[in-house]
Amino acid sequence: MPSTFYVTTPIYYVNADPHIGHAYTTIVADVLTRFHVLAGEETYFLTGTDEHGDKIVAAAERAGQSPKDYADLVSGRFRALWPRLNIHYNHFIRTTDERHQETVRTILNRVKDNGDIYFSDYAGLYCFGCERFYTERELVDGKCPDHRTAPEMIREANYFFRMSKYQEWLIRHIQDHPDFIRPERYRNEVLAFLREPLEDLCISRPKSRLSWGITLPFDEDFVTYVWFDALINYLSGLEYPDGPLFKRFWPVCQHLVAKDILKPHGIYWPCMLKSAGIEPYQHLNVHGYWNLDEGKISKSVGNVIKPLDLVEVYGLDAFRYFLLREMVFGLDAEFSQDALVGRINADLANDLGNLVSRSLTMFEKFFKGELPEPPAAQEWDDELKDQALKLIDIYEGYMRELAFHKALMAVWDVIGRVNKYIDATAPWVLAKTSRQRLAAVMFHIRETLRIVSALIWPFMPASAEKMQEQLGLPRKGPEFTLALVRQWGKEKPVKPVTRAPALFPRVEDKREGQEGGKKAVDVQEKEVPLVSLEEFQRLDLRLGTILRAEAIPKSKKLLKLTVDIGEERTVVAGIAEHYAPETLAGRQVVIVANLQPAKLMGVESRGMVLAAGGEGGVHLIVPDTHVPSGSKVR
Ligand SMILES: [Zn+2]
């Protein structure tokens, strides 16, 4: 039996339309599910809408509709959005579904039978926006921290869930299962909260005040508190208690939530499950917020374009890639159109897009798309093969830790390697000198692209499948598994490699000018774009010692340097007009060691020497004391 994977998004509250935060969580769930498909697992992906409570009643009143009609409308908008984002869920649950309501009643009865529900008179400070009581300690300047309004003192008789009884158990469970709540910052947040005494949870609302909810099975004058109702969707979506889905998928349940709903998921929910005699979920995965710099999002005729509208402008796969590459899962991230355009042009159009199109062009030109059986590989070929195969393990590790940005960076590292490999092996030269060698090189390029196409599929399904089609592969998208991806050279193309339009055309910033004119602005030209620390860290800067320097015949500017950077490198530098070759041996320089190799005046240069240039001439950048060759520059 294959191993299993179950992921849930929160069920989204239908008092407002979907926004970027909902889209991010749901795309992450889709990417994870597709990754687990690739890993050969049986997957189940649940999403849906949360439809009870005061806030829905208020929103429905504003819209002049009944709560149910209003919930139908907004729930429908969520359901209509997900296919547009290429999101494939298994089930869409609504808390107004009869099946869900039945499950809520079952759980309430089990918790009550267990002695964990009691009736009590309670006077407290209630925030109507949050639909909950606050303690003095939780308030900020006497106001609700979320709504910044003063709560009202109300006195009510209500049912309470004896959550305090499970405090010690929950602390122990979190301590014994380090990745129960992840990333760690949120685990620590929950543990910090649990250092104070846990109060019991009010789980009912009198119908005199609110009737839009699930009636308590043991008192028909009350409805269920909306959180107690909503959390149970994760069980009713699996047909708890008797359905086969529950048995198969509950033990591997992973929840995805944004940090604003950490407390109900990290505290209420495990205590509810424990009380009902159900094992807790496996992981609670918590992500941060997207900060929207609205000045940086397109303005069109005075209206701020919603981030989701950018899908129309820039394409779905670019949007999905951007969300997963830009946000470190768990931390907040900035959403800006500049960053989106930057990523499309650099990562997608330049790195991946160019690689695919130059490779396809060579396949067609040199072999009419049909590659002969590859002859023996050489050292550089094996290096690329090793890196491509290692990538699969590295990628799998990062995906299982939800380090999506790192998984993508690892894939892009290999994309960079293939680009370098092409420059270094120069297939266009081999085409004239050695067909055998050319066939080996092109085979290694195709195999590496095959691996890349499979690994980017969870993120960019349509583009990955297009790439697989162009490579003539017999399999596409979900037909791949990591086990098949690992089989180097076994997958025979079923049709010739074909040239095709660019996967990701370069884009211009599609913002309109300040005056509302149609002026497109290319951000790349206007300003030097900022790089992230990670991007900077991709540069391999090293201290080198020049062993030899020679003039290059017929070149006025270039010198050929042999430099020790922990290994010997040939580097061509444009410093001949400023330095005599005989003065250079023994001097130290800073080298960009992972620059793509390039041929200059017939000499292959593998690296670049850093120098500062201005009116006073060109000056090598040197350390202020002797440093061992090969030391990293940071
Ligand atoms: Zn509030």
Side-chain angles (χ1 to χ4, degrees):
M1 209 173 85
S3 51
T4 50
F5 171 76
Y6 171 41
V7 70
T8 69
T9 71
I11 45 173
Y12 302 117
Y13 211 44
V14 293
N15 65 338
D17 283 342
H19 59 66
I20 180 87
H22 303 120
Y24 175 73
T25 317
T26 316
I27 289 173
V28 168
D30 185 68
V31 169
L32 265 179
T33 302
R34 288 175 190 268
F35 162 72
H36 285 269
V37 166
L38 207 55
E41 297 166 26
E42 193 183 347
T43 62
Y44 199 79
F45 168 4
L46 180 72
T47 189
T49 44
D50 182 5
E51 308 184 3
H52 290 128
D54 294 335
K55 276 187 270 189
I56 308 299
V57 175
E61 271 169 14
R62 279 196 302 275
Q65 287 179 305
S66 73
K68 181 66 168 76
D69 286 348
Y70 181 78
D72 285 349
L73 179 77
V74 182
S75 176
R77 284 187 196 143
F78 278 92
R79 225 165 338 155
L81 175 62
W82 303 143
R84 276 181 56 204
L85 301 181
N86 208 349
I87 285 164
H88 288 217
Y89 54 79
N90 291 85
H91 185 60
F92 190 100
I93 190 161
R94 303 180 55 183
T95 52
T96 48
D97 291 344
E98 184 43 46
R99 161 124 222 158
H100 169 75
Q101 305 199 35
E102 184 58 46
T103 308
V104 171
R105 289 190 285 268
T106 305
I107 297 286
L108 280 165
N109 280 328
R110 289 187 70 159
V111 172
K112 184 153 197 298
D113 292 347
N114 204 10
D116 288 342
I117 289 178
Y118 63 90
F119 191 66
S120 168
D121 206 29
Y122 185 81
L125 296 164
Y126 191 83
C127 173
F128 283 88
C130 295
E131 300 181 4
R132 57 167 279 215
F133 286 100
Y134 273 94
T135 59
E136 296 279 1
R137 182 161 56 82
E138 290 175 298
L139 299 175
V140 177
D141 301 329
K143 291 177 178 170
C144 163
D146 290 342
H147 293 91
R148 315 259 162 94
T149 54
E152 286 176 44
M153 172 62 80
I154 61 172
R155 172 176 290 276
E156 250 175 30
N158 265 311
Y159 287 90
F160 287 81
F161 167 49
R162 217 179 286 281
M163 200 154 69
S164 52
K165 182 173 151 188
Y166 297 99
Q167 177 162 11
E168 286 313 310
W169 165 80
L170 181 57
I171 292 170
R172 255 196 329 277
H173 186 82
I174 295 173
Q175 283 167 346
D176 292 347
H177 300 83
D179 55 5
F180 181 61
I181 298 171
R182 60 186 184 177
E184 200 181 0
R185 54 184 14 226
Y186 298 109
R187 173 178 186 263
N188 294 339
E189 205 174 296
V190 169
L191 283 172
F193 189 84
L194 288 170
R195 278 198 280 275
E196 305 286 334
L198 193 55
E199 286 173 30
D200 291 343
L201 184 68
C202 176
I203 57 155
S204 66
R205 298 291 181 262
K207 279 192 180 167
S208 55
R209 188 152 66 72
L210 171 75
S211 62
W212 180 237
I214 300 173
T215 301
L216 292 180
F218 40 79
D219 189 336
E220 58 179 46
D221 291 335
F222 291 84
V223 293
T224 312
Y225 170 48
V226 68
W227 266 113
F228 201 94
D229 161 1
L231 289 162
I232 290 170
N233 93 86
Y234 303 131
L235 294 173
S236 48
L238 288 183
E239 301 170 354
Y240 171 85
D242 301 320
L245 290 174
F246 177 74
K247 282 191 193 66
R248 194 167 321 151
F249 291 108
W250 181 255
V252 293
C253 175
Q254 300 205 24
H255 298 308
L256 277 173
V257 298
K259 64 184 180 183
D260 58 331
I261 50 175
L262 173 61
K263 200 169 146 188
H265 284 83
I267 296 176
Y268 307 173
W269 183 224
C271 294
M272 286 165 62
L273 288 164
K274 183 70 182 166
S275 172
I278 302 168
E279 281 299 304
Y281 51 79
Q282 192 181 26
H283 299 297
L284 175 63
N285 307 307
V286 188
H287 69 76
Y289 291 151
W290 281 99
N291 296 317
L292 296 188
D293 184 343
E294 305 227 315
K296 288 184 182 170
I297 302 288
S298 258
K299 291 207 163 138
S300 171
V301 212
N303 295 321
V304 174
I305 288 184
K306 294 187 195 108
L308 296 179
D309 295 343
L310 295 176
V311 170
E312 303 295 334
V313 181
Y314 294 109
L316 173 58
D317 277 1
F319 180 74
R320 287 174 60 120
Y321 172 81
F322 174 78
L323 293 185
L324 275 286
R325 175 63 186 79
E326 196 74 6
M327 179 176 266
V328 175
F329 189 89
L331 303 180
D332 292 353
E334 298 290 326
F335 190 100
S336 81
Q337 199 168 350
D338 286 358
L340 175 61
V341 169
R343 286 256 174 243
I344 293 173
N345 285 339
D347 302 1
L348 299 181
N350 276 5
D351 295 345
L352 176 59
N354 276 354
L355 170 61
V356 172
S357 84
R358 76 198 287 213
S359 303
L360 297 178
T361 303
M362 290 191 294
F363 281 117
E364 194 176 70
K365 190 168 167 202
F366 301 145
F367 294 106
K368 300 208 165 18
E370 311 229 24
L371 205 53
E373 279 298 300
Q378 292 188 5
E379 193 186 333
W380 279 25
D381 307 339
D382 286 338
E383 213 176 283
L384 182 66
K385 177 181 169 184
D386 284 351
Q387 275 157 358
L389 290 174
K390 249 182 233 149
L391 167 66
I392 302 168
D393 295 331
I394 294 169
Y395 166 93
E396 185 174 2
Y398 284 142
M399 292 299 281
R400 291 193 188 276
E401 298 168 5
L402 313 183
F404 305 110
H405 69 297
K406 286 189 185 168
L408 287 169
M409 280 164 69
V411 174
W412 257 253
D413 254 2
V414 167
I415 289 170
R417 303 269 178 195
V418 190
N419 271 322
K420 269 184 243 172
Y421 172 82
I422 294 175
D423 295 337
T425 53
W428 46 93
V429 176
L430 295 174
K432 294 173 196 143
T433 57
S434 167
R435 297 288 294 177
Q436 283 269 308
R437 184 76 197 109
L438 178 65
V441 166
M442 294 307 295
F443 166 79
H444 281 75
I445 294 170
R446 193 199 65 207
E447 279 301 286
T448 309
L449 288 180
R450 181 182 64 85
I451 292 173
V452 166
S453 74
L455 303 189
I456 64 171
W457 177 74
F459 299 91
M460 300 187 283
S463 304
E465 289 176 26
K466 216 184 280 174
M467 200 172 147
Q468 289 160 350
E469 174 76 27
Q470 292 167 359
L471 288 167
L473 297 175
R475 248 176 262 278
K476 275 199 299 226
E479 296 156 15
F480 270 106
T481 60
L482 290 179
L484 285 165
V485 176
R486 280 195 181 86
Q487 297 190 357
W488 184 266
K490 298 266 170 62
E491 194 95 322
K492 300 279 180 276
V494 287
K495 54 184 192 149
V497 173
T498 48
R499 267 177 77 179
L503 276 180
F504 303 101
R506 273 186 77 83
V507 296
E508 294 195 326
D509 190 334
K510 305 219 173 132
R511 239 175 318 194
E512 292 170 13
Q514 291 288 347
E515 297 80 27
K518 276 276 179 191
K519 207 177 79 197
V521 186
D522 189 336
V523 281
Q524 306 270 331
E525 278 175 23
K526 267 190 73 180
E527 56 191 38
V528 179
L530 296 178
V531 299
S532 66
L533 182 61
E534 290 151 18
E535 284 169 317
F536 171 73
Q537 282 168 343
R538 286 171 64 186
L539 285 180
D540 184 9
L541 295 176
R542 280 196 249 168
L543 231 288
T545 306
I546 299 176
L547 302 173
R548 287 183 299 282
E550 304 154 54
I552 294 180
K554 292 189 195 155
S555 174
K556 263 195 256 169
K557 289 187 175 165
L558 302 179
L559 291 182
K560 177 183 168 188
L561 308 177
T562 307
V563 186
D564 175 11
I565 55 164
E567 66 185 71
E568 233 176 76
R569 280 287 179 92
T570 300
V571 176
V572 174
I575 55 171
E577 289 168 307
H578 309 280
Y579 291 89
E582 60 274 16
T583 64
L584 288 171
R587 294 186 75 143
Q588 291 208 298
V589 283
V590 178
I591 300 281
V592 184
N594 62 342
L595 193 72
Q596 293 190 5
K599 252 195 185 147
L600 299 164
M601 296 295 284
V603 181
E604 183 176 85
S605 179
R606 296 184 61 211
M608 182 170 83
V609 174
L610 293 190
E615 284 180 8
V618 170
H619 303 278
L620 292 171
I621 309 289
V622 296
D624 66 359
T625 184
H626 191 87
V627 178
S629 298
S631 302
K632 262 199 91 64
V633 177
R634 23 180 134 237

